[in-house]
Amino acid sequence: MVEQLPHVLRSDAQDNRDRVLDAARSLFSERGLDVPMRVIAREAGVGPATLYRRFPTKQTLIDEAFIDELAACRRIVEESCADADPWRGFTSAIEGLFVLNARNQGFVNAFMSANPEADSFTEHRESLHRQLTRLAQRAKRAGALRHDFVMDDLVLVLLAGRGLSSLLPSSREARARRFASLAIDAFRERDQQMVTTPQPR
């Protein structure tokens, strides 16, 4: 019985940690990063002392809660940059990032934040920004990406896309893909854009 006790304690501690992370992911996704720690603890069914013992600061909780999203974000960018066709890679990155962002408001807020304490997000953001910049330059040289495109344009539409997380979960992905399609059309070099004939009323 005595030998089993440490195993039981470790199991309980892991269970508490998992419940805190599940609660944090859910609340961050629905309400953004302003959710108080005490609300997360209550949602997880643990006391504040237990929460802070596992996650001494809110930033450590944010980092751990979004580790999977960070990995997915990096995978989207790296796979897009590896595409031999730079325009296809660029459009793939936009669509993938829009869909990922629409699923989780908290992750978008954390990733786009200029909070100097969020070192892990800052490092990831700067690394992915450099990769996407090189991809955009390749797409420009290929004549597919509009010549006046700057990376701030992509940041702007990503920020605009944050509103997608307020939609019903069942409709977010379809709307995100539609928004990505519109953004891609806006980024296409003018002589590459499809000319449409206005329909008579």
Side-chain angles (χ1 to χ4, degrees):
M1 181 69 178
V2 174
E3 293 177 355
Q4 292 178 344
L5 186 57
H7 174 73
V8 172
L9 291 176
R10 286 194 298 270
S11 178
D12 287 347
Q14 184 62 46
D15 182 59
N16 287 339
R17 185 177 185 279
D18 291 343
R19 283 191 286 132
V20 167
L21 285 171
D22 287 343
R25 291 186 186 107
S26 177
L27 290 169
F28 288 153
S29 176
E30 295 172 2
R31 298 164 53 178
L33 301 180
D34 293 332
V35 181
M37 293 284 271
R38 66 178 181 276
V39 173
I40 296 172
R42 184 167 63 245
E43 180 72 15
V46 302
T50 297
L51 172 60
Y52 282 105
R53 186 161 55 248
R54 303 299 167 199
F55 303 97
T57 67
K58 191 173 187 180
Q59 189 58 51
T60 59
L61 177 56
I62 291 171
D63 288 347
E64 190 70 18
F66 294 136
I67 191 169
D68 290 340
E69 284 81 2
L70 277 174
C73 188
R74 177 168 291 280
R75 187 164 56 250
I76 288 168
V77 172
E78 290 179 346
E79 290 178 355
S80 298
C81 290
D83 196 317
D85 182 328
W87 176 247
R88 184 174 59 201
F90 184 78
T91 60
S92 176
I94 291 177
E95 182 171 345
L97 291 173
F98 275 34
V99 171
L100 177 65
N101 292 351
R103 293 173 182 163
N104 198 314
Q105 177 185 349
F107 173 65
V108 181
N109 292 347
F111 193 79
M112 303 298 285
S113 172
N115 181 3
E117 296 179 1
D119 290 338
S120 61
F121 286 94
T122 300
E123 292 170 6
H124 278 277
R125 185 170 60 245
E126 291 178 351
S127 172
L128 299 184
H129 188 280
R130 288 193 295 270
Q131 293 181 65
L132 287 171
T133 297
R134 290 194 292 270
L135 178 60
Q137 291 170 345
R138 289 173 52 211
K140 277 187 181 182
R141 289 196 295 270
L145 178 63
R146 57 188 299 161
H147 65 280
D148 60 347
F149 171 86
V150 293
M151 282 301 294
D152 281 348
D153 296 334
L154 179 56
V155 173
L156 181 63
V157 293
L158 286 171
L159 289 172
R162 293 164 75 172
L164 293 168
S165 61
S166 65
L167 300 173
L168 291 174
S170 60
S171 66
R172 286 180 194 170
E173 181 167 337
R175 298 291 182 86
R177 293 187 187 281
R178 174 59 177 164
F179 188 34
S181 177
L182 295 172
I184 289 167
D185 280 345
F187 290 150
R188 197 187 307 270
E189 181 57 277
R190 294 185 189 281
D191 60 6
Q192 298 288 328
Q193 292 176 349
M194 295 177 61
V195 178
T196 58
T197 303
Q199 298 296 316
R201 297 186 179 183

